[in-house]
Amino acid sequence: MADALSHSCDQQSQNIPPISELCVAVEPKIAFSFRQWLKLHNFEDTSRLSLRISSTVVAVPVTRLFLNEILKDKDYEEDCAIEGFSFKLLRANLPFKVKNTAYSNGTMCLIKALKSLEHSAFSWNEALAKDLPSCWEIHGDLLMLPESCFVMKDWEALGGELWPIVASAFRSSRVAKRGHIVNNDFRSPLVTLLLGSNSWVEHVDNRIRYRYDIAKCMFSSGNITEKIRIGHFKCAGETVVDLFAGIGYFTLPYLVHANASLVYACEWNPDAVEALKINLALNGVTSRCIVLEGDNQKTCPKRVADRVNLGLIPSSEGSWEVACAALKLDTGGILHVHGNVTGKVHKKKHNVFDSSVSTVCSPAGTAEPKESIHSCNRLLLLNTSSETTDNGCSNSEELTANNVHTEIPNQTHLGEGKSKKRLKPEWTEWAFNAGRRMKEILQNQTLRDWLVTVVHIEHVKSYAPHIDHLVVDIRCLPNSQHSAR
């Protein structure tokens, strides 16, 4: 099993399986108190960091002792409770990265080994300590180093002797160094294998196995919340089109957990296609997936889909027409549109929607807060929580509008207490613009009217204070009673 974790040099036995897949998901409002309880009972894995992976989920690393003593017979993703804390045990690969001035156990082992090294052309000096890695990733037996380490010329004296020493300190067999992403059509990673004969690794996310060549394909563990959300959809009897399948990031959750009857997986990177086919076989779902290699503009089937996944960031807009053409003509379906949305650095009062975009009023009885988005002199907010129905749509009241509909819940914030967070106006603006464009495309393609509804906005992760990775679910239904003008 290939995982992203940190190994300490005082690990008692190399035969003990890595524990990085053990992750407890809790709500932000109880994360601090839950961690205190874990520490009290020595159940928190202090070698890894807790990570807020969405607005509603904090992942807390736990030890194998916690698994053995507290969760003896529990399954992954099963609802659990102990001493008033509600949580789920997830099998997620959260990359461990050391980002502080204190040396980690692995670094200390490396320094000790280098200081004791007897070499005619190399001698340790304290300046070299600043050139050691301050962060890294472990993928099974492969240690992935950042490009910012081991750059001083002093290391050249060791030649090929350096990397076995580094590998031993971090309990690894292979060593690789990551560079910048190659600016090509495939966004290939620039990885140099320093020790070892191959660069294939394996991850387990949410009970799904992903195998791929780390030197040729990307893997994002930060999308775990969206993978879990997809897994909760009820797609039995549905046909799904995944326009940017990659190695199966979202294709596999649709097949393994959501039980889609058929998935068309479009992918144009031949290295990713190779890994995708392997992963379909590893997870036993090859018979329910049709892999379409090449540009989705040419390979995507038409009028077959109950839902289309557009999992490309920073934007999938170049394939929106393809996505609309893939939806079934008589029954329509749902578009799951990914995108990076940039927030406004400075505060500026403005209307989110112009006159050509739908204007929607909040449900009756909703108090108007001081800082709000106005249209019709009412608050415009969308649900961004992960509480969705079986079809991946929010449970909320549908309100009609001039052009694009929405389903607006009574909830106006995410979380509670200190984690309470106002929804960003840029999110709703982006979502409605996407819905409006989809409506225009569908009407132009079919010469009939369509009921287009923004039903859900999902916050996947944040790259920076002003860049958010979102997914908007847009339901598109043909309106047979009216033809497009």
Side-chain angles (χ1 to χ4, degrees), residues 178-182 184 186-191 213-218 269:
R178 189 187 301 280
H180 294 294
I181 302 298
V182 179
N184 58 13
F186 305 141
R187 283 184 53 80
S188 304
L190 183 60
V191 174
D213 188 338
I214 201 170
K216 297 179 180 178
C217 301
M218 299 289 293
N269 182 346

Side-chain angles (χ1 to χ4, degrees), residues 346-410:
H346 60 281
K347 293 182 179 180
K348 180 180 178 181
K349 293 183 178 180
H350 66 289
N351 287 335
V352 172
F353 309 115
D354 58 32
S355 58
S356 63
V357 187
S358 64
T359 55
V360 187
C361 300
S362 60
T366 301
E368 182 178 319
K370 294 180 180 180
E371 295 181 7
S372 59
I373 312 163
H374 290 84
S375 183
C376 303
N377 295 320
R378 300 295 294 178
L379 181 66
L380 297 176
L381 292 169
L382 289 174
N383 185 19
T384 60
S385 73
S386 57
E387 297 178 358
T388 55
T389 65
D390 291 345
N391 292 325
C393 303
S394 301
N395 289 316
S396 52
E397 178 183 357
E398 182 172 319
L399 301 174
T400 59
N402 296 332
N403 202 355
V404 178
H405 293 228
T406 186
E407 294 178 354
I408 300 180
N410 293 325

Side-chain angles (χ1 to χ4, degrees), residues 158-232:
L158 291 175
E161 296 180 44
L162 173 62
W163 306 121
I165 297 173
V166 173
S168 177
F170 290 91
R171 305 283 186 176
S172 301
S173 301
R174 297 177 291 166
V175 179
K177 197 172 185 181
R178 189 187 301 280
H180 294 294
I181 302 298
V182 179
N183 188 21
N184 58 13
D185 291 336
F186 305 141
R187 283 184 53 80
S188 304
L190 183 60
V191 174
T192 302
L193 191 64
L194 304 172
L195 180 66
S197 58
N198 75 85
S199 51
W200 280 80
V201 298
E202 183 173 317
H203 277 288
V204 177
D205 253 5
N206 196 25
R207 293 174 291 155
I208 296 176
R209 296 171 66 185
Y210 296 89
R211 188 177 296 174
Y212 64 102
D213 188 338
I214 201 170
K216 297 179 180 178
C217 301
M218 299 289 293
F219 184 89
S220 176
S221 58
N223 294 333
I224 180 64
T225 55
E226 181 62 10
K227 296 173 188 173
I228 293 173
R229 189 175 79 100
I230 289 173
H232 290 155

